[in-house]
Amino acid sequence: MNRKFPEGFLWGAATSAPQSEGAQYEDGRTPSTWDKWFELEPEYFNQDQGPQETVQVYKRYQDDVKLMSAINHNSHRTSISWNRLLPDGKTVNEKAVQFYRDYFKRMKEEGIEPIVNLFHFDMPWWLMERGGWEARESADHFAHYAKVAFQQFGDIVHYWTTFNEPIVHVTCGYLADYHWPKVHDLKRAVQVAHHTCLAHAKAVIEFRTLDLDGKIGNILNLSPVYPRSERAEDLKAAKDAHAIHVKSFLDPTVHGTYPEHLVTLLREHDLLPETEAEDLEVIAQGAVDFLGVNYYQPIRVKEVPEAERHHPAQSLEDFSRHYDWPEKRMNPYRGWEIYPKGIYDIAMMIKEDYNNIPWFISENGMGVAEEERFIDASGEVQDDYRIEFIHDHLEYALQAMEEGANCFGYHLWTFIDCWSWLNGFKNRYGYYRLDLETHERTPKKSAHWIKDVIASGELPELNHERK
Ligand code: NOJ
């Protein structure tokens, strides 16, 4: 197998504004739902760790950019904080403009291509009070914010993305308690998803109107869906789960249309959202130039027993149930399945069903609880498990590329251990370890390893069996 990466392959790591910036209320920034939620109910957050400090990128970005090039990265993804750039949704915050311009410029000077995302789960509180994504007006507010960002930074930033994992704020906030407003209502969730798609498309329209020298994409968490068996009932569960978890945002993002099977399911269950006449035309204009693919673990499903199924559906559990594959290999330090071949299967799906659109691995990685266990006498985290994880996913990505997949980069989640929503700092993911007291950043073993991989342009053999 070819182990060489193509010329110009993007190497880097991903983070987001709410998880890394800190400086929560400084220089005019107003709260997002996360800041407010932590204020209201800190007990929801692991060890009472809120978003107020996190990595302090707002104050330390000059040095952090140097840490990126110290390990040969040539790209970096972060997001803009909507509530920092437009604290009231209208007025441009000059301090925010200065910060982001300088941050992105410094990246460029170090040979780092900034990949800038607009929404990473951080709904401004003022807009949440008006209904958040449930309110149709949110799509227009988002389009305005996107336009301001393109105008302010479009001369520096070449790669833009609208959303990070849009299905996550839908399912975690409207079908579970992991995001604000933590309601459990399928109908409202579908409405939120529709407004998110509208918001995405409207931002793409703004981008095309400005005719900038750049590309626009969307970052989706895509997982292959595997059925328990070839029985018709399991296959149907997998087909439904694929429509809900994969095609729901992928089809509008690449084809500019909603997937037929999903529309049929929603109609059957009386779950179609409220729409206006022009919506489908707007969504048709949301087709992107490239995709970011976040991949951590596959989705494994089985049928829902007839007796347990509601009609109309009340939750996603009415379409498919999680299947516990007996052969699965688990990340022992966090509890997610590790299945590197999933990246190959996604690559082939994009090639076959989505015009082989250019894409990059925008997140992949391994969360580890109590990672201090792996610090050696020299003070370095010996994260061989992470090296193996990255290696195995890259190996499958290379195999897919050899078979024609259009993959142009690999980003680890994350660069410096950062704050992870309700989990606080429970699971560490970075190439750099963060000391929570001093905020010192120390490269882990994986940082040195990836530095050498990038320098050689080739994936080394690891002496272990690929699973
Ligand atoms: C997905 C999200 O984009 C990011 O915010 C999160 O922290 C990581 N995955 C790890 O769970």
Side-chain angles (χ1 to χ4, degrees):
M1 190 185 89
N2 171 36
R3 302 188 72 87
K4 274 207 166 307
F5 294 95
E7 224 19 66
F9 197 71
L10 291 186
W11 291 103
T15 188
S16 73
Q19 292 176 274
S20 68
E21 283 180 9
Q24 205 183 13
Y25 293 130
E26 287 177 47
D27 293 342
R29 183 184 179 278
T30 54
S32 73
T33 46
W34 293 95
D35 305 304
K36 211 59 192 181
W37 187 7
F38 182 67
E39 242 175 71
L40 296 170
E41 299 175 330
E43 64 279 9
Y44 265 84
F45 294 74
N46 180 59
Q47 295 184 357
D48 277 2
Q49 288 165 333
Q52 62 276 36
E53 281 210 344
T54 186
V55 192
Q56 292 198 341
V57 162
Y58 191 72
K59 301 207 172 110
R60 293 172 177 255
Y61 66 96
Q62 292 98 331
D63 293 336
D64 287 346
V65 169
K66 296 201 180 100
L67 297 181
M68 295 169 199
S69 50
I71 57 171
N72 290 335
H73 282 182
N74 60 9
S75 58
H76 185 78
R77 194 239 307 185
T78 189
S79 65
I80 292 174
S81 156
W82 186 350
N83 42 302
R84 191 186 291 288
L85 184 61
L86 297 174
D88 61 1
K90 294 186 194 101
T91 326
V92 178
N93 176 0
E94 285 308 325
K95 291 267 192 208
V97 172
Q98 270 169 33
F99 162 62
Y100 288 117
R101 283 195 71 81
D102 196 47
Y103 188 12
F104 303 150
K105 255 196 199 149
R106 280 170 195 259
M107 284 189 207
K108 287 279 216 192
E109 283 161 14
E110 289 286 332
I112 315 277
E113 195 62 51
I115 301 180
V116 177
N117 179 43
L118 293 170
F119 187 86
H120 200 116
F121 311 158
D122 50 344
M123 171 60 70
W125 185 253
W126 66 266
L127 187 50
M128 194 49 160
E129 286 188 306
R130 299 172 71 95
W133 292 118
E134 262 183 277
R136 193 180 163 87
E137 65 173 284
S138 61
D140 292 312
H141 289 295
F142 181 75
H144 172 69
Y145 154 56
K147 182 178 172 186
V148 172
F150 300 148
Q151 284 169 331
Q152 296 291 342
F153 315 116
D155 58 328
I156 313 175
V157 177
H158 188 74
Y159 289 94
W160 289 96
T161 58
T162 52
F163 282 85
N164 174 76
E165 303 189 345
I167 199 167
V168 168
H169 65 254
V170 177
T171 53
C172 290
Y174 292 84
L175 298 173
D177 291 350
Y178 306 129
H179 284 204
W180 194 269
K182 51 186 171 76
V183 293
H184 295 245
D185 189 320
L186 210 40
K187 187 115 186 151
R188 288 168 72 180
V190 174
Q191 194 66 53
V192 163
H194 176 59
H195 290 158
T196 302
C197 285
L198 268 186
H200 159 82
K202 286 182 181 219
V204 172
I205 293 170
E206 294 292 352
F207 184 80
R208 307 264 185 242
T209 310
L210 289 170
D211 198 21
L212 294 169
D213 175 24
K215 294 186 191 313
I216 185 124
N218 200 1
I219 295 178
L220 305 178
N221 46 320
L222 299 182
S223 295
V225 179
Y226 302 122
R228 171 178 60 181
S229 74
E230 293 299 309
R231 285 177 54 237
E233 294 81 354
D234 287 335
L235 292 177
K236 162 86 168 92
K239 186 177 178 188
D240 291 359
H242 181 65
I244 293 167
H245 295 284
V246 179
K247 292 174 78 64
S248 53
F249 283 95
L250 187 52
D251 280 32
T253 293
V254 178
H255 299 318
T257 52
Y258 280 135
E260 242 177 72
H261 183 59
L262 182 62
V263 175
T264 308
L265 283 182
L266 295 179
R267 188 174 295 118
E268 275 173 18
H269 290 270
D270 193 23
L271 286 168
L272 285 174
E274 279 172 32
T275 54
E276 289 187 10
E278 77 275 9
D279 287 6
L280 292 183
E281 270 168 49
V282 172
I283 282 168
Q285 293 175 71
V288 294
D289 304 318
F290 72 95
L291 280 179
V293 173
N294 294 357
Y295 173 66
Y296 290 88
Q297 58 176 343
I299 297 175
R300 300 191 185 274
V301 296
K302 60 182 181 191
E303 67 172 307
V304 184
E306 188 59 47
E308 293 173 30
R309 211 177 290 160
H310 302 95
H311 200 104
Q314 292 176 3
S315 76
L316 296 184
E317 293 277 283
D318 285 323
F319 296 98
S320 60
R321 293 279 163 90
H322 170 71
Y323 167 56
D324 206 14
W325 186 39
E327 287 164 55
K328 70 178 185 284
R329 181 161 64 110
M330 294 299 280
N331 166 357
Y333 317 117
R334 196 216 187 284
W336 284 0
E337 182 179 348
I338 298 182
Y339 189 69
K341 181 174 177 285
I343 203 73
Y344 171 86
D345 290 338
I346 294 165
M348 291 302 121
M349 174 195 68
I350 295 176
K351 184 173 166 219
E352 277 147 36
D353 301 343
Y354 294 92
N355 315 330
N356 209 13
I357 185 172
W359 60 282
F360 78 113
I361 300 170
S362 44
E363 274 186 41
N364 176 235
M366 200 172 162
V368 174
E370 293 162 25
E371 202 172 32
E372 54 280 5
R373 285 175 287 171
F374 302 102
I375 299 179
D376 71 359
S378 75
E380 185 182 271
V381 178
Q382 299 301 302
D383 55 346
D384 295 272
Y385 40 81
R386 186 169 286 111
I387 293 174
E388 185 183 323
F389 183 98
I390 300 169
H391 170 275
D392 292 358
H393 285 80
L394 281 174
E395 204 166 54
Y396 273 111
L398 277 172
Q399 188 181 323
M401 286 153 74
E402 205 167 53
E403 293 173 33
N406 217 344
C407 173
F408 64 85
Y410 179 87
H411 278 191
L412 183 76
W413 183 271
T414 184
F415 184 52
I416 303 166
D417 295 336
C418 67
W419 179 78
S420 270
W421 319 109
L422 297 186
N423 280 330
F425 282 95
K426 188 156 106 199
N427 301 305
R428 305 294 190 116
Y429 280 89
Y431 279 130
Y432 283 84
R433 177 165 175 86
L434 178 74
D435 182 313
L436 295 185
E437 308 267 293
T438 62
H439 289 99
E440 194 189 341
R441 293 87 156 105
T442 314
K444 301 179 190 174
K445 186 173 178 184
S446 57
H448 301 297
W449 180 81
I450 200 72
K451 177 181 178 188
D452 293 343
V453 172
I454 302 169
S456 71
E458 199 167 336
L459 189 65
E461 301 274 357
L462 273 194
N463 292 328
H464 76 300
E465 209 181 303
R466 189 168 88 168
K467 293 165 198 115

